[in-house]
Amino acid sequence: MATVPSAALPAVPRGQAGPVPAEEQYVTFTVGTEEYGVNILSVREIRGWTPETKLPNMPDYVRGVGNLRGIIIPIFDLRARFGGGQTEVTKRHVVVVLQVGERTRGILVDAISDILTVAHDAVKPPPDIDSGLIDQQYLSGLVTAENRMVTLLDVTRLFAGDAVEELSSHHIQIPRQAQA
Amino acid sequence: MAGAHLDDLDRFKATYFDECAELLAVAEAGLLRLSPQNIDLDEINAVFRAVHSIKGGGGTFGFSQLVAFTHEFEAVMDRLRSQQIGVTTELVDVLIQANDVMARLLTCARDGLPVPAGLADASASDLKRFLRKDASGSAAPAAAPRPPAARKAPPAGALRSFVIYFMPKSDLLLSGNEPAFLLRALKRLGQAEVVCDMGRVPPLFELDGESLYLFWQIALTGTTDEAAIRDVFEFVVDDCQVDIAETTGPADGGEEEAFGLFAENLPYVPPGQLTVYEAGAVEGAQAAPARPEGGAGSGTFGGGGGGGGLGGHTIRVDLDKVDRLVNLVGEMVITQAMISEQLRDVPPGTLQQLVEGLEELSRHTRELQESVMAIRAQQVRSVFSRMPRLVREVAAQTGKEVMLATSGETTEVDKTVVENLVDPLTHMIRNSIDHGLETPDERETVGKPRSGTVHLSAQHRSGRIVIEVADDGRGINRQRVLQKAVEQGLVPAGAGLSDEEIDNLIFLPGFSTADAVSAISGRGVGMDVVRRNIASLGGRIGVHSTPGVGTRFVLSLPLTLAVLDGMVISVGEQRFVLPLTNIIESLRPRKSDLQSVANQCDVIMARGEYVRLVYVDRLFRIDGAIGDPTRGLVVLVETEEGGRLGLVVDEVLGQQQVVIKSLESNFQRLDGVSAATILGDGRVALILDVAGLQSMSRHTHTRAVPAAALPAA
């Protein structure tokens, strides 16, 4: 609900029935020198880093699973997701717990920085990135906040289940040979 | 606003269909028990009410075809209950068929599908036939062994007798009601004999002066009717249970024996009281029903009377809510364990109150956990009650005479287990009737009663539920089983197998003794599927057979799928849980016990078999593990299908009961992992899936192993 269809990327008001709020709030956080934002409505909570349980045969951005009060949630390393290698975790790292549709997932980031209120017309479309490392589908736009640039993420697309599964099956190269 | 309205409507509809599913089951169960020899007016009434409720709801939502059909159905049931038509086998068949049609109409209504043309026609015209018969007056109550008087419009001024059970809740007095007034009001309706049941009165020192501990049974005879009696209780309906039964003609005896079902179905009525309705019923005026014998001390009159066996009060809850509760409690247990752990480091004597408080808390937590798990518990009745239908069908298909006896229907198991029981039980009962039981003629020649018996039972035994399907048929024909198994290449010819081993051959995949494929069996989907289903529930199945006497299948299942007995193992820094049912033993092999096969995989000689080793660290890419079976450990495991593996792990840490948590609900399925759990320190541990590990290891390790080198699994 809070996300923007990629075909009609930002700036374009969502042509749905009902009034479109003129502005939305984003929780922003840093990964390295970059600042990212996710819609505040999808943020369930922010918690300190606790050691995760690793999962077998997963791409490096899947850190593992953690225990969120009895629910098992996967934790993704945003730095690794964007090709920056796995984060060296310290006590100061945080996990942003997101509600993505029916699923609850965590993303590991360096630090929370702010809560931004962004007017719709302030969101600029993302540039044409074609690096192969990062799919611009994950990005819903760019905004400027006090001279900083914040990249808005589309959490639904970032964690589209098939993307992970596709990658993981690439990861395990299992030669399938007929048994005698 | 329109949207919200629609949501509400959808919710109501969903509730309606939920209820219909239950009502259908009630109707079917009632109809299946109905026969000319077995007429139970309460049961007929229950079926009538079920059909009536389905019709009513259907009307509300505008399912016109459903309503039109159920109207006919209801009309026939109405004639039946007012004894304007008698019970015949034909009528029962028509009614059962009508119930099926009603079910299909409901499915169409629920899924928004058009009703197939002609779906209800045949059944509706059958039903109408019974209505016509009645209208022409030709059908006298043929088989009903009771006077056609009583309930059918009693002449004005006739005396009628009722037994009323008045079971107020203990807080009735708090709402300002006075039972004595109610009883007095009843007396005004006719001649009443009031019996007070004091079985619930506690010892004096526990007595709460503001609570009401009494129940009453009132035998009322007068020129009144049920509605008038209900009116008396109008202001207390929410605070009490009132069962009213009219003591008309005696109900036909014998139903308790017939299927063994009847008595089970009225769980809260001690047999002594049950007879009140039947034996104590005398038509006419002076009927003063017998007092309940032997029931006075039990304290519960129960809902056996007119209420169709509704015991206690229930509430319909969304399963998600219960699951959330189960989760939270599980988490609380873990947190509590964590705190206890940390408190152990506190010097003795300090914080004494905290320690005591924590002990108290842990008791409460445990109790809470048990109560929460109990919410999910369900009686196996819901599965067992489907079986009479099946037996009836299979008996008809095979031309055999079968009686189904059931016991232990009130045994409680977790909902998920109950749901997963249907398929295996269906298969086993079919199997028992088709393969186990002889034809009536065969039975006669060997001196058995013509009708065979299949006994379905459930009971709790040492933390598991044991379900048995036993028949008194011919037993397993071992010679034939062995011969077939050899023919199908499942067993080498000349293998000296014990009787027990031969019996167990029927669980082999692909095994079938049937020469021809019939509608019932012989399709190659056999007991192996049953075994796999049972295994996937963490259960086991065994068979015991005596030639000429019968066969008994014994199923043993965990009470819940929410917890699992596991062994915690470590590989490198990581810990895993291995289901205990899979584990045979763990051992540390010597170098000489290990062999390499074609340089591709390692095998270990264990219990006379070469078992392939699976290095969990390599399979899962875990750094820092020992990875050497002579320094670590080999855990010998067995898959559900019987294959064996030796898992190479670092260490076995100990046995533990774990709460199973889904990985998929927030993430995805993983190869070699069935689920996850949370250990005492709050960390997540993965639960290993042995069958999955086996297929993974096949793909990674044994690239070119000739089949001959592998031990026959």
Side-chain angles (χ1 to χ4, degrees), chain B residues 265-288:
Chain B
N265 244 328
L266 300 168
Y268 299 109
V269 183
Q273 293 185 6
L274 204 59
T275 54
V276 170
Y277 293 92
E278 295 157 22
V282 186
E283 18 151 352
Q286 80 280 45

Side-chain angles (χ1 to χ4, degrees), chain B residues 59-96:
Chain B
T60 312
F61 295 116
F63 302 135
S64 54
Q65 276 157 306
L66 176 72
V67 173
F69 180 78
T70 42
H71 181 70
E72 305 287 343
F73 193 172
E74 184 191 14
V76 176
M77 285 312 301
D78 189 38
R79 305 265 155 129
L80 189 59
R81 74 174 182 149
S82 59
Q83 296 171 7
Q84 292 169 29
I85 51 175
V87 177
T88 61
T89 318
E90 192 202 355
L91 174 61
V92 175
D93 285 342
V94 165
L95 292 174
I96 290 177

Side-chain angles (χ1 to χ4, degrees), chain B residues 520-534:
Chain B
I520 304 167
S521 53
R523 284 157 303 181
V525 205
M527 295 304 290
D528 62 313
V529 179
V530 173
R531 185 165 74 166
R532 206 174 312 142
N533 285 349
I534 299 299

Side-chain angles (χ1 to χ4, degrees), chain B residues 6 34 47 84 176 189 196 199 216 224 279 326 351 428 434 567 678:
Chain B
L6 204 68
L34 187 64
V47 177
Q84 292 169 29
L189 294 174
C196 180
W216 287 273
T224 182
V326 171
L351 301 174
M428 283 156 68
D434 195 24
M567 190 69 87
I678 298 167

Side-chain angles (χ1 to χ4, degrees), chain B residues 419-431:
Chain B
E419 281 166 358
N420 285 295
L421 270 177
V422 178
D423 285 348
L425 280 188
T426 304
H427 206 95
M428 283 156 68
I429 287 179
R430 277 185 185 187
N431 198 72

Side-chain angles (χ1 to χ4, degrees), chain B residues 500-584:
Chain B
E500 204 190 324
E501 284 171 320
I502 296 173
D503 289 348
N504 278 295
L505 288 177
I506 61 169
F507 294 115
L508 284 182
F511 181 81
S512 169
T513 50
D515 289 318
V517 172
S518 73
I520 304 167
S521 53
R523 284 157 303 181
V525 205
M527 295 304 290
D528 62 313
V529 179
V530 173
R531 185 165 74 166
R532 206 174 312 142
N533 285 349
I534 299 299
S536 68
L537 294 174
R540 293 183 295 271
I541 181 169
V543 60
H544 307 275
S545 181
T546 315
V549 179
T551 308
R552 195 158 54 93
F553 287 98
V554 182
L555 268 178
S556 155
L557 290 164
L559 292 179
T560 170
L561 295 184
V563 294
L564 169 126
D565 276 316
M567 190 69 87
V568 184
I569 58 169
S570 72
V571 181
E573 292 281 285
Q574 297 198 41
R575 282 172 301 169
F576 296 95
V577 175
L578 202 50
L580 216 54
T581 45
N582 291 118
I583 299 178
I584 304 169

